[in-house]
Amino acid sequence: MPFVRIDTLGTDPARLDALGQAVQDALVESLGIPPEDRFQVLTGHDGVTGTLRHGDYPGIHRDDSLVFIAITLRAGRDADLKRAMYRRIAELVHERTGTEPRNVFVTLTENGSADWSFGHGLAQYAPADGEPAGALPERP
């Protein structure tokens, strides 16, 4: 159930795949997300019709190998789990793509159970009276 968007500048399909797998593996390892629970949008920008902008805030110098990773998931994890997730994402992205950890920018957006529909027009995590709950596992 996390929904992940990864944006990077001028990349090839192999790097996009490696970035997506690194983030997925980090979510599985650090947060206990089921391995098959993978929803990702991977975008490589060409610098002309789409690009990325970045600065050195807060004193971290970034370059054009920057990777923006936006993760949306249900609320409820503590700060220690989030720190472990950020760290593991940076480690795996560096290990698998050579991207320096300083260039791995991660944002996390949390929401509630009623904010998800996996299909069929249902809120599987928060069904209304009379709606089927679906066969979705509870968040670890």
Side-chain angles (χ1 to χ4, degrees), residues 97-118:
T97 70
T99 304
E100 292 295 326
R102 65 185 165 85
N103 282 316
V104 179
F105 184 101
V106 181
T107 63
L108 184 64
T109 303
E110 296 179 302
N111 58 24
S113 294
D115 298 320
W116 294 89
S117 174
F118 293 92

Side-chain angles (χ1 to χ4, degrees), residues 48-137:
V48 177
T49 59
T51 193
L52 304 178
R53 301 282 187 245
H54 56 84
D56 289 344
Y57 181 84
I60 300 171
H61 176 69
R62 296 171 190 85
D63 58 41
D64 283 345
S65 67
L66 175 71
V67 177
F68 286 124
I69 301 167
I71 302 169
T72 304
L73 74 168
R74 289 192 294 164
R77 292 162 180 92
D78 67 29
D80 288 337
L81 279 176
K82 292 174 189 177
R83 280 190 284 273
M85 178 196 66
Y86 300 139
R87 184 173 40 256
R88 192 63 179 140
I89 289 172
E91 290 169 354
L92 290 176
V93 165
H94 181 250
E95 178 182 300
R96 296 178 187 180
T97 70
T99 304
E100 292 295 326
R102 65 185 165 85
N103 282 316
V104 179
F105 184 101
V106 181
T107 63
L108 184 64
T109 303
E110 296 179 302
N111 58 24
S113 294
D115 298 320
W116 294 89
S117 174
F118 293 92
H120 299 291
L122 301 174
Q124 285 88 350
Y125 283 139
D129 289 339
E131 278 186 349
L136 296 177

